[in-house]
Structures are given as structure tokens and as C-alpha cells.
Amino acid sequence: MSVDNKNQSEVSPFLADNDKQSAIERKEQELKDTKISALETEDDSQDITCGFWIFRGAFLQSCATEAMYVTIYGIAGCFMAMCFAYFNGTITTLEKRYKIPTKTLGIISVGNDMSTMFASALTGYYLRKVHRPRWMGFGLFTIVIFCLLNCSLHFIYGAGEDALKLTRDYGDYQNLTGNLNRAHRDHKLCMSEDSSCIQEDSVWVPQFILFLAQFILGIGQALFLVVGLAYMDDNTTKSKTPAMLSFSTFLRMLGPAIGYSLASLCLRWYIDPTAEPLIKIEDPRWLGAWWLGWLILAAITFVIAILMSLFPKELPSSKARRLKLERAGKQNPIEHKDHSLSDMWQSVKLLATNKVYVYNTCASILYFFGYMVYWIFTPKYIETQYQQSASVATMATGTVALGFSAVGVLLSGYLVSKYKPSARAMAAWNATVDFLTVAGILLYVFISCEGSDQLSSMATSDSCIASCHCEYVHYAPICSPENVTYISACHAGCTEKTKDQLGRTLFTGCDCINPINKTGGSELQYAVDGACHVDCFHQFLIFLGVMCFLKLVGASSKSTNLLIALRCIPPEDKSFALGVGSMVASLLGFIPSPIFYGWLIDKYCLVWGKTCSNKGNCWIYDTQSLRYALNLAAGSFILMGGFMNIVVWYHAKHLKIFDEVKTETGETKKSLEDITLKDLGSTLQLQKIGEDI
């Protein structure tokens, strides 16, 4: 045997052993790969599976469609908008019940914007690879907490002594306050001694609870809106996005209408439904059952939150579409990596160089700042300017005016989807809407009611009541024969109280009221209990008509503004850009504007409901000065927003809105992802940042 044969025979056992070992290792590797593949397949199937825990099944899976998501998302947005509208509709009642100045309520109302400002950017940046529908469901659960916190005030403090004293169960209607009781015993309504100040419930606790509720609401709002819009845009085809946005926005626009209607209905009930009120709903002292609607909203929102949480991480149709594009090489798989603060800063710098994004955001902020006074304080404006009840003012603001907003959203969505206007055309329309809004606001200035303006001429500082101490007397209006309303009998200098043949309460000996000649030459200075009737209904209808027109026109620019915001940024930065935009809008628009307008409204207050430790709520305003100040201030901001939209029009010439754009020859097609936007900077830089994040 040769040496080679000998060596081969000696080595072969080792080779056989090695082959066996390699086969075993290959088999183990194949098993591992099979397990990994099975796990990946299972994870992939879980990503598109509806439901959680025991809430699963074929029926739920059949609901994992674009149309169903947009419907549920719109309904959820509707109830969230109902919460905002209901709060705004009950603002004047909260002011009277808890003696809160308008400026303080303005600060309370921005609590949600403060939390939204921080939550939006973090939400848009860090929640891009999580199960977004479940986070949206969590956001809706926080709104349930918001509703319950607001409602808890009534169960903690009750209806309040002021409201209960105006019911049959708590004594004679004429004995409104302790001071008047004392005056009634002494037969002197004009008190010669200083009256003791009015003790009230804890002032700061209700305000803190209201602010805390608003702060929690902002977190839920950020989770729902920022994540929800990005999820919808990622899971629908670009050609369907305008229609989807319009439909969901339409459903959300129904929310304020229903919310204001619910507030109007609840305010028709007295704050204590078990008591019989001795005043009518038109009386400015009427307090409605503001707390009742929060229980209804909490229950329904809880159900919607569960439904929203049932949607999968990614819709099956969207995943199939994405995988098809990836296999065809038309779209690169998006790799999600851990994010750092430096990555976030790079994304912020990129957005700051995007001129379309920056100017469009500025235009939106200016519009929001100007129009915020009408979103929050329109019911209060109607009550003070046109002397309508809280229920009527709330119904007009919601059911009537916001119905036109919904029509505007639907109409604009239809026109945009059908005619597919360019980005420049959309920006031009946004500017036109701003200028039309300014024109309508200028009309507000001239829609005045003489009877309402005369209320500010009441004698509150005449020398005739210099000897009367009426500073802490409750607001209990009386009407003079000259149709002038006085804050109370004390403020009119009255000294006696009696009944006439019709059973009306008469206050006599009123030094501040011009004497009336009676038969026999005697003179009598008297007033009738209750505020004077002021007929401003005609002016109110004119105001309502102008407001409906502005709602219709203004709502038509919502979809176009949002489409520009969505399309001027790369897909991978979409959620973050929306979050940053929401944060900046909160910081510069939503937070300062209610405080500013609240301060402006309080500046023109003539009569405060003072208490021992607080100036309380305002009862009478200088309506003429307030009308000029509010409307001119709001119009100025919106006018600047219109000029900013002109700048957007100039820089949006290269921006494409829709998926495919045909050339004149009809041969070339470009998808949105392939468009290089001049105003976005370097394409390589975009790709690098996109990979890093």
C-alpha cells in the first residue's frame, strides 16, 4: 500500500466524522432558521390582526379596512370635539357658579395646549414603530378621565348657595342674599354701614381641578391627533388621502355641533334638577345643569376608546401594498432605529430649512390666534352683545353655525379630490379665505344692539349712592321705568320694597332713578324686580348669518392647509413634523391667545361679583368698546396670516400634492416619494437623516 493510500485511509474516518458534524450543524441551523421564520411570520400576522386578549375573531378581522378605520377615527374625533365644544358652551355658567374671571378661565382652557405642546413632538417622534391604534385608544381613555374630573366639581360642591336661594325649596325669592335679608328686616335696601363681604367656597380648588382636567385632555389630544393622522396617511393610498381627510374631518366637525347642542339642552335644566327654580331661563342669574353632559360624554368616549384599540398595528391592505412596492424595488424598507436627542435636533434643523413648512405653519398659527376668540368665547359674546340666554347662544354657536363648517369641509374635500388642484392653488385659496374672514369680522363691529349698549350706562358710581355700601351686594337686577337696568336695589339707592296689584316686587324711594309723576302731583321713584327687556333678536340673526358664512368659508381651507403640511415633508419625517407643528402652534397660538382674549374681555368689565378674596365673575360689560376691541384684534392677526399664505403660494411652486402627475405628453409619471422638493434641501441629506432616525 502506498503512502498516499495509507494516509487517506487513516484520514477518512476523521472526514466522515466532520461530514456528520457539518450535517448536524446544518440541520440545527435550518431548524433555527425555520423557527425564526415562523416567529417572524407570526409577528407579521400579529401586526395585521385585529383585537387583543379575548377580543379577536374573523368578524373583527373583516373590519380591518381603510374605510372602517377612517369611520371610527372620525367618530372618535367627533366625541373629542364634543368635549371641547361642551366646555366652551358651559364657560359662562362655570364663571357664575365658581366666580371665575374670564382671564382665569382663559388660563384654565390652555391647560390642554400646554400638555399638547410637549406631548405632540415626543409622540410624533417616538411612537412611529409602536402599536399606534392602542396608543390612540389610551389617548381616548385620558379624555374619559377629563370628563369625570370636570363632572366631579358638582358632586364635591353641589349647586351652590346662590343658585339654591333662587328656588322655591330655599325660601322666598325676594330674599336673595344675607345682606338683602338684613335690609328687608330693617326696611332699608340702601345700607348706611359697610356690608360684610361675601364668603364663598374654596376658590382655587375648582380652578385647579378644571386646569388639571384640561392638562390631561391635552395628552389625549396629542396621542389621538398626531398618531392618528400619521397612521391614516400611512395606511391609505395617496390618491384617497384627500377624501379620507375630508370625511374624517367632516365627522369631527359634527362634534362641536353636537357638543354645543348637548350643552344647550343641559343648560335648559336648572343646575339642581330636583329643585324648582323661581326665575326663568332668560334671567342672567340662571345656572343650568352644566355637569350633566360630562357623564354622557364619558360613557360614550369609553366605548369608542375600546373600539379604536382593536385596530391592528398595520392594516392588511396597506401591508400588502407596501410589500409589493418593496419587492418591485420602488420603495425601500423603512428601518426603525432607536432615536436620540441629536437625531431629533437634526430633524428640527431640517424642518427649519423647509420654507413651505415654516410659512404654512406660521400662517396657521396667526389664523388660530385670531380666530380663537370665536372658538372659545362666541356663546359669551352672543350673551353679552345680544342679550340671549346661555342655551340659545350655545345652540346658535353649535347646531346652526357649525353645520355650515361641516358642509364647507365636505365640499372642499369633494372639489380637491375631483379637480386635484396644485399646491399653489391651495395656498392661494387659503389666503383668500383669510381675507374673506377679515371682511366678515369687520361686519361684526357694526352689528350692534342699542339696547345692549345702554346697559353699560347704568348708574353705578353716581353720587346718589355715595352713602350706600353696595360693593358686596349680589347681582339682583331691577328695571327702572326708563328701561335702565340697575345691578341691584342697593345700587339704585332704593329704601323700600313692596308688591303691586300684579304681584310684582316694587322697589321704591330709589334716589338714583328719575321720579315719575303720579296722579295728584306726587312723585315716585320706583323700579321693578328683574332686568329690563332688551330686544336684540334682529341684530342677533344678522350676526348669525355672517357667522355661518364665515364658518362655511373658513372650513373649506382646513383640508387644503393640512394637505400642504403633509406633502411638504418626506414620508419618514411626517409624524415628527406634525408633532413639531402642533407644539409650535400650542406655544405661539393656542396657549397665549385665550389668555390674551380673556384679559381683553375682563378689561371692559363694569360690574364684578366681588367676594372676600376674589373679584369673582363679571356681570356687566361695556359692550360697545368690547365689540370693537375683540373683533379688530382678531381681524388683525388673521390678516397677517393671509399675507403669510401669499408667501406659501410663492414657495410652493415645486410642491406636488398627489401620487401621480402626468406630463403634457402623458408619458411620464412620478410618485410622491420620487419628487425632489427644492425647498426641502439636499436629497442625500434627507436620505441620511431618514436612515439615522
Side-chain angles (χ1 to χ4, degrees), residues 174-391:
Q174 306 301 333
N175 300 328
L176 300 180
T177 65
N179 289 332
L180 285 183
N181 283 336
R182 184 182 69 181
H184 178 60
R185 289 194 303 270
D186 298 338
H187 300 287
K188 292 181 180 180
L189 298 176
C190 176
M191 292 166 286
S192 59
E193 300 177 359
D194 291 342
S195 58
S196 59
C197 63
I198 300 171
Q199 297 290 340
E200 74 283 358
D201 295 329
S202 178
V203 175
W204 300 110
V205 175
Q207 296 178 14
F208 173 76
I209 292 177
L210 290 173
F211 180 84
L212 177 63
Q214 289 286 331
F215 191 86
I216 293 175
L217 173 64
I219 298 175
Q221 179 187 16
L223 287 171
F224 179 78
L225 290 181
V226 176
V227 177
L229 280 175
Y231 183 86
M232 179 169 61
D233 199 47
D234 289 342
N235 286 272
T236 57
T237 56
K238 298 297 182 290
S239 60
K240 293 181 180 179
T241 301
M244 294 290 187
L245 283 174
S246 296
F247 181 67
S248 64
T249 305
F250 167 73
L251 291 176
R252 288 202 306 273
M253 291 304 295
L254 294 178
I258 302 174
Y260 279 117
S261 299
L262 178 63
S264 176
L265 179 62
C266 292
L267 292 178
R268 289 181 179 274
W269 292 75
Y270 200 60
I271 188 170
D272 185 356
T274 63
E276 181 184 352
L278 293 169
I279 57 175
K280 296 182 179 180
I281 190 173
E282 293 81 11
D283 194 297
R285 292 166 292 177
W286 177 276
L287 294 180
W290 63 271
W291 53 274
L292 190 58
W294 291 122
L295 295 176
I296 301 173
L297 291 173
I300 301 177
T301 305
F302 180 81
V303 176
I304 297 297
I306 295 177
L307 295 178
M308 180 60 69
S309 303
L310 296 176
F311 279 97
K313 186 176 182 181
E314 185 178 12
L315 294 179
S317 59
S318 173
K319 184 167 186 177
R321 187 166 55 249
R322 176 175 59 81
L323 292 176
K324 184 178 179 181
L325 291 175
E326 289 176 1
R327 288 170 188 152
K330 296 181 180 179
Q331 178 174 307
N332 295 326
I334 299 176
E335 294 183 4
H336 295 287
K337 295 184 178 182
D338 293 334
H339 312 304
S340 64
L341 291 178
S342 61
D343 295 331
M344 182 184 293
W345 179 242
Q346 290 295 325
S347 298
V348 170
K349 290 196 295 184
L350 179 64
L351 291 176
T353 61
N354 184 343
K355 295 180 181 178
V356 176
Y357 175 80
V358 170
Y359 290 124
N360 188 65
T361 302
C362 290
S364 300
I365 291 173
L366 288 169
Y367 182 85
F368 291 148
F369 199 106
Y371 213 80
M372 182 62 69
V373 63
Y374 305 111
W375 284 335
I376 297 180
F377 298 117
T378 293
K380 184 181 184 68
Y381 184 88
I382 294 175
E383 289 181 49
T384 57
Q385 293 291 331
Y386 307 111
Q387 300 303 307
Q388 301 299 309
S389 67
S391 177

Side-chain angles (χ1 to χ4, degrees), residues 39-113:
L39 289 174
E40 291 177 349
T41 303
E42 183 180 355
D43 291 339
D44 290 343
S45 64
Q46 289 179 353
D47 288 347
I48 60 174
T49 302
C50 259
F52 57 87
W53 193 36
I54 61 174
F55 302 103
R56 298 178 184 272
F59 174 75
L60 285 179
Q61 192 61 30
S62 65
C63 296
T65 62
E66 298 175 7
M68 182 60 69
Y69 170 75
V70 172
T71 301
I72 297 298
Y73 180 74
I75 293 174
C78 173
F79 282 101
M80 185 177 69
M82 283 178 63
C83 294
F84 283 98
Y86 189 85
F87 181 82
N88 293 339
T90 56
I91 272 184
T92 55
T93 304
L94 288 173
E95 286 184 6
K96 297 173 186 177
R97 169 60 188 92
Y98 298 104
K99 300 178 176 63
I100 304 175
T102 304
K103 179 183 176 181
T104 304
L105 260 179
I107 297 174
I108 290 172
S109 67
V110 302
N112 68 84
D113 297 298

Side-chain angles (χ1 to χ4, degrees), residues 25 112 151 248 250 320 409 472 489 515 531 563 575 608 663 691:
E25 290 177 355
N112 68 84
C151 184
S248 64
F250 167 73
V409 170
Y472 293 106
L563 280 172
S575 296
W608 289 99
T663 63
E691 291 173 357

Side-chain angles (χ1 to χ4, degrees), residues 155-176:
F155 296 100
I156 294 174
Y157 294 102
E161 185 179 3
D162 292 345
L164 295 177
K165 284 181 177 179
L166 297 176
T167 62
R168 191 175 302 278
D169 308 61
Y170 285 83
D172 186 8
Y173 165 59
Q174 306 301 333
N175 300 328
L176 300 180

